[in-house]
Amino acid sequence: MRELWRLWRLFRPYREWILFGFLAALITLLANVTLMAVSGWFIASMAVAGAAGMSMNYFTPAAMIRASAMARTGGRYVERLVTHEATFRLLSSLRVWFYGHLEPLAPARLQQFHSGDLLSRIRSDIDALDNLYIRILVPLLVACASLALFFGFLLLYDTALALAGLSFLLAAGVLVPLWTQHRGAEPGSRMVETDSELRAAAVDGIQGLPELLVYNAADAHAERLHRLSQELTADQDRMSRYTGISQGAVGLSANLALWTLLWLGIPLVQSGRILPPDLAMLALFTLASFEAVAPLPRAFQQLGATITAARRLFAIVDTRPAVDEPRELSPQPSRLDLELRAVRFTYPGGTRPALDRIDLSLPQGKRLAVVGATGSGKSTLLNLLLKFWQPDAGEILLGGYGLGAFRGEDLRRRIAVVSQHTHLFNAAIRENLLLASPEASAGALEQACEIAQIHDFVSALPDGYDTWVGETGVRLSGGQARRIAIARALLKDTPILLLDEPTEGLDAPTERALMAALDRLMEGRTVLLITHRPVGLERMDEILVLDRGRILEQGDHHSLFGSEYYPRLLGLAGQ
């Protein structure tokens, strides 16, 4: 139940809404019970008065009936309005709260989670939390308050009637919900997990459909989706049966309460302690009072799913970021020299260091290239410089200050990156470019695209820069998407430029033209180029050759050309 307490603390800004919703629901319930009870008394009294030939004041009970009907209708509307408005506000706030905790975890800590699973947490799991407010909290508060009022009202007539009515109300409002909670905890929790797994499998299947078709694995994946769907349907069917049983149990309790009240009340009428119209009123009052506990069994049946959803959210929220952010303001160095001193880093669960005692110096305005085979630590170096991870040992300095002294946003504001893994959003080309500089003019966009060797292609499209690229840029080739990503980085006018395989996927003429354009762009900037291709390396001031996380060779292009490893790595041996 610790998760429920933590959720209640998150509800704090909306407690006024919760109180208002509770009062509206309570007033609606009392109005409905009053309507039923007074109607029963009024009809019985009119019958008795007519049989006895007596007159009676029917204005007061008629007014009470009309007032109760109006209060029930208005209260129901206000209850729905308030509780749903509170729920929508709460869910919106929870999504922002959850996303705010996701940001510090990216990308390092989020690598262990599937994108479909994260989607389930931020959508389905948060949506499941509306059970806590609308279906558990408000009905529970209303039931507790109304049961005390109902018991007190019956106590005015007879203690036995009050105890009998309370017993059946407690049976329907406590025992039945506890039974449904016990029976529904496991399937409810399993439904949340299965739904998340089904969503992740569906996302995988859609994104990897071409590969599934090529390797004739589509049928196997469809069978997996079918199996997960059957498991989810089976648990839903089980929960529906529990709902039916619980509703029947509440109805049975209500009818038993009615017959018990009549059994105890008829002798009281015969003895003159209760008038006949009062017995009719108490009978309908008893039936109507079970509306207070009727929602509880289904609410507690869903409690297992609610707790599981909350636990999945808090599992993300409680994950510690890979990098701690400083509380103080970031320093403002006068120069932006980069320096690594004996940096060592091993990925969690790794058997050997991705970088091992790396020393390098990159003065402001200089160009450094890092080359190496796959797995040599090139991308890890970029992740450390961007403060996505922090070194296990050693230190990284920027302008003489340790990288840990900079807030992540402040650090990355000084750096433009062309990543090896380009991501384009499901939007127009223009919108993808404007991510780097929202205020950039159309001329600035075109200039950046010209440098990236993509302007002619974009201009030839029917919609030009307003062309929709599709999810993850699916309507573009890999090389086109890479050049748009390069143009996006160029729009971010920063003193430091990190290029991670910028010419990957390009043909030789385009590669040479792009590197020539980047050469003009790199003037006066600090550049770190990661590549395994020889084009442009002669323009670098220094080249580091990495192998298994260590610096194997170091020098400029001409000095390394005669070494043993460097020409062979780039395919230049014998030239």
Side-chain angles (χ1 to χ4, degrees):
M1 293 299 177
R2 186 172 63 92
E3 290 82 7
L4 298 181
W5 173 246
R6 293 183 66 180
L7 285 176
W8 172 244
R9 290 168 60 188
L10 291 175
F11 291 0
R12 182 170 299 172
Y14 303 95
R15 289 181 183 177
E16 292 80 6
W17 285 89
I18 293 174
L19 178 61
F20 193 14
F22 156 68
L23 292 175
L26 180 61
I27 291 172
T28 302
L29 173 66
L30 295 179
N32 186 58
V33 173
T34 302
L35 174 64
M36 293 289 291
V38 174
S39 297
W41 179 88
F42 186 41
I43 294 172
S45 296
M46 290 289 289
V48 171
M54 300 171 56
S55 62
M56 64 170 289
N57 174 20
Y58 61 84
F59 291 103
T60 300
M64 291 180 64
I65 291 172
R66 291 188 178 184
S68 298
M70 294 172 62
R72 182 183 66 172
T73 302
R76 186 71 69 193
Y77 174 78
V78 172
E79 176 204 352
R80 292 290 188 267
L81 182 66
V82 172
T83 55
H84 283 77
E85 178 68 18
T87 299
F88 293 148
R89 288 172 178 258
L90 178 62
L91 294 182
S92 175
S93 174
L94 285 176
R95 285 193 180 92
V96 175
W97 162 81
F98 184 69
Y99 187 81
H101 284 81
L102 275 181
E103 283 188 344
L105 303 180
R109 296 303 186 197
L110 295 185
Q111 293 176 354
Q112 57 186 313
F113 298 100
H114 191 283
S115 58
D117 179 53
L118 290 175
L119 175 62
S120 291
R121 296 182 195 237
I122 201 169
R123 183 185 177 278
S124 300
D125 290 352
I126 289 180
D127 284 346
L129 299 184
D130 67 356
N131 290 326
L132 182 61
Y133 171 58
I134 290 184
R135 295 184 174 87
I136 297 178
L137 186 58
V138 171
L140 186 61
L141 293 175
V142 170
C144 292
S146 59
L147 259 60
L149 294 175
F150 296 159
F151 177 74
F153 180 76
L154 291 174
L155 202 59
L156 296 175
Y157 289 87
D158 184 73
T159 302
L161 291 180
L163 291 175
L166 181 63
S167 299
F168 285 106
L169 283 170
L170 290 177
V174 176
L175 297 181
V176 177
L178 288 177
W179 179 83
T180 58
Q181 179 189 354
H182 173 70
R183 301 295 295 180
E186 183 178 345
S189 176
R190 195 165 52 236
M191 281 170 57
V192 174
E193 299 291 350
T194 305
D195 181 68
S196 175
E197 188 177 353
L198 180 61
R199 192 183 303 273
V203 171
D204 275 344
I206 294 172
Q207 292 181 341
L209 188 56
E211 284 74 13
L212 291 176
L213 294 174
V214 167
Y215 292 102
N216 295 322
D219 291 341
H221 193 77
E223 178 60 30
R224 183 189 176 202
L225 290 175
H226 179 65
R227 176 179 55 80
L228 291 173
S229 298
Q230 285 185 320
E231 292 176 2
L232 184 60
T233 302
D235 283 328
Q236 290 172 337
D237 179 67
R238 192 174 292 111
M239 296 289 275
S240 296
R241 283 190 275 111
Y242 295 154
T243 299
I245 293 173
S246 64
Q247 289 176 345
V250 172
L252 177 63
S253 299
N255 284 280
L256 290 176
L258 172 63
W259 285 106
T260 302
L261 181 135
L262 293 175
W263 179 64
L264 295 174
I266 290 174
L268 296 178
V269 173
Q270 293 174 340
S271 65
R273 294 177 57 187
I274 294 180
L275 296 176
D278 290 347
L279 183 61
M281 175 198 67
L282 292 175
L284 291 180
F285 172 86
T286 300
L287 280 177
S289 65
F290 277 82
E291 183 184 342
V293 298
L296 295 183
R298 185 172 184 180
F300 278 81
Q301 178 185 341
Q302 299 292 332
L303 191 59
T306 302
I307 293 176
T308 300
R311 188 176 295 124
R312 282 164 50 84
L313 293 176
F314 288 127
I316 296 287
V317 171
D318 294 339
T319 301
R320 183 177 176 180
V323 177
D324 298 322
E325 292 283 8
R327 296 183 179 180
E328 299 79 14
L329 295 177
S330 301
Q332 301 295 327
S334 57
R335 290 181 55 83
L336 295 179
D337 301 325
L338 273 171
E339 187 176 1
L340 277 69
R341 297 177 180 173
V343 169
R344 180 185 177 93
F345 175 76
T346 304
Y347 285 103
T351 57
R352 64 176 180 83
L355 292 177
D356 191 7
R357 299 191 62 82
I358 297 296
D359 293 290
L360 68 83
S361 178
L362 180 56
Q364 179 174 316
K366 297 296 183 180
R367 305 177 186 181
L368 174 68
V370 179
V371 299
T374 301
S376 60
K378 304 188 302 297
S379 296
T380 301
L381 180 60
L382 239 63
N383 288 331
L384 293 178
L385 292 176
L386 291 170
K387 207 179 175 182
F388 291 155
W389 294 94
Q390 58 187 11
D392 300 328
E395 60 179 343
I396 302 176
L397 303 176
L398 177 63
Y401 295 92
L403 225 57
F406 293 86
R407 295 180 179 178
E409 291 183 358
D410 296 332
L411 172 67
R412 291 185 282 272
R413 197 173 289 119
R414 297 176 167 90
I415 302 174
V417 183
V418 177
S419 173
Q420 184 177 2
H421 304 287
T422 300
H423 182 86
L424 296 182
F425 291 89
N426 189 19
I429 293 175
R430 185 186 310 277
E431 295 176 73
N432 274 280
L433 293 171
L434 289 176
L435 284 174
S437 179
E439 305 300 325
S441 64
L445 297 183
E446 294 177 3
Q447 183 180 7
C449 287
E450 286 176 355
I451 296 175
Q453 307 294 305
I454 193 65
H455 173 69
D456 292 341
F457 166 77
V458 175
S459 299
L461 295 172
D463 295 325
Y465 282 85
D466 294 319
T467 299
W468 210 258
V469 302
E471 186 176 1
T472 67
V474 68
R475 299 181 63 184
L476 303 174
S477 70
Q480 292 163 352
R482 175 60 60 89
R483 280 176 278 174
I484 289 177
I486 292 172
R488 185 166 59 189
L490 301 180
L491 283 169
K492 186 179 180 182
D493 189 16
T494 59
I496 301 176
L497 186 61
L498 303 183
L499 304 173
D500 186 5
E501 305 283 4
T503 61
E504 183 70 20
L506 303 182
D507 56 69
T510 305
E511 179 183 28
R512 288 191 295 270
L514 177 60
M515 287 306 300
L518 287 176
D519 185 56
R520 296 193 300 271
L521 178 72
M522 290 186 289
E523 288 294 336
R525 299 190 183 199
T526 305
V527 178
L528 178 63
L529 170 66
I530 288 180
T531 184
H532 66 278
R533 303 169 71 92
V535 178
L537 290 179
E538 70 280 358
R539 300 183 178 95
M540 298 293 110
D541 297 311
E542 188 175 11
I543 299 172
L544 298 182
V545 181
L546 289 183
D547 182 48
R548 297 191 178 187
R550 292 177 175 270
I551 297 178
L552 191 65
E553 298 173 346
Q554 186 172 353
D556 59 28
H557 179 68
H558 296 291
S559 63
L560 290 174
F561 198 83
S563 65
E564 176 184 355
Y565 187 74
Y566 177 73
R568 182 159 41 89
L569 174 67
L570 300 177
L572 301 176
Q575 296 185 23

